[in-house]
Amino acid sequence: MLRSAALLSAIGAASAFAPMSIPSNRVAPKSSVTMQAMSDAVPFLKQPEKLDGSMVGDVGFDPLGFSNVADIKFLREAELKHGRFAMLAVLGFIVQEFYTFPFFPKMAPVDAHDYFVTQGGGSQIIFWISFVELFSVVALFETIQGKREAGDYAFDPLNLATDEVTLARYREAEIKHARLAMIAIG
């Protein structure tokens, strides 16, 4: 008797998870309410309108809504520029742990910042960043006018991107590495 009761109890519990059969003559009512698509990157936020997946590396991540305020080409150009500098900064941060030029004192990367600022390195950095910004302003206007793709300077001296598939793969890798470097160095 006890075994029968336990078996019937287990069957009853299991039937709670069985799919329900719906009569075929029953039709679900149509609703006029439509749901807005949610972002893949941040599932509890709405999908940004301008981030439709057409750009390389676009996963719909714009929690602050910058794409609603500024031109998406301008934002991508800035993301690539800052990402490229961040990748160089990460490389420099790692290299100076292992190698130091003979005419510089050996110190930790964090202490090196304060040392070089007191030695006049800050003014050199500002000079070279200003030099780069002069060229990037011209490139930015070309991007906004549609004359070139954001971040594309047609610089491929080793001819690595021989076809469109390879070029797309390298662009995807670049944007992912740039985002990671900005997080790492920031």
Side-chain angles (χ1 to χ4, degrees):
M1 179 75 169
L2 186 61
R3 288 184 185 173
S4 298
L7 180 63
L8 289 174
S9 174
I11 291 172
S15 68
F17 298 103
M20 193 171 103
S21 64
I22 299 175
S24 61
N25 61 354
R26 188 172 172 196
V27 178
K30 291 188 176 184
S31 173
S32 62
V33 177
T34 57
M35 298 290 291
Q36 182 175 359
M38 301 305 278
S39 171
D40 290 336
V42 188
F44 55 87
L45 293 177
K46 295 176 183 171
Q47 175 74 25
E49 293 175 13
K50 295 182 181 176
L51 297 178
D52 56 359
S54 61
M55 292 174 38
V56 176
D58 177 13
V59 291
F61 183 78
D62 188 16
L64 300 178
F66 288 129
S67 64
N68 297 331
V69 178
D71 186 9
I72 195 75
K73 294 175 186 175
F74 169 77
L75 296 174
R76 176 50 62 100
E77 183 81 26
E79 181 181 25
L80 283 170
K81 179 173 58 174
H82 291 106
R84 289 169 180 165
F85 276 113
M87 287 188 280
L88 287 172
V90 168
L91 179 66
F93 201 85
I94 293 170
V95 166
Q96 69 182 358
E97 286 284 333
F98 301 107
Y99 178 77
T100 303
F101 286 112
F103 43 87
F104 288 121
K106 177 78 174 158
M107 62 183 66
V110 175
D111 299 330
H113 171 269
D114 296 336
Y115 172 77
F116 286 111
V117 167
T118 60
Q119 298 297 321
S123 58
Q124 289 182 19
I125 291 172
I126 290 173
F127 171 77
W128 288 109
I129 288 176
S130 301
F131 182 73
V132 169
E133 285 294 326
L134 287 174
F135 289 106
S136 67
V137 166
V138 174
L140 179 64
F141 284 126
E142 288 179 352
T143 300
I144 292 174
Q145 293 170 354
K147 294 180 181 176
R148 70 177 190 92
E149 197 170 327
D152 185 15
Y153 288 97
F155 180 73
D156 189 11
L158 300 177
N159 201 20
L160 296 174
T162 54
D163 57 354
E164 289 299 318
V165 175
T166 308
L167 181 62
R169 192 180 78 217
Y170 282 140
R171 285 182 176 165
E172 181 83 25
E174 179 187 30
I175 196 69
K176 286 182 178 182
H177 294 150
R179 289 171 178 164
L180 182 62
M182 286 187 282
I183 291 171
I185 207 68

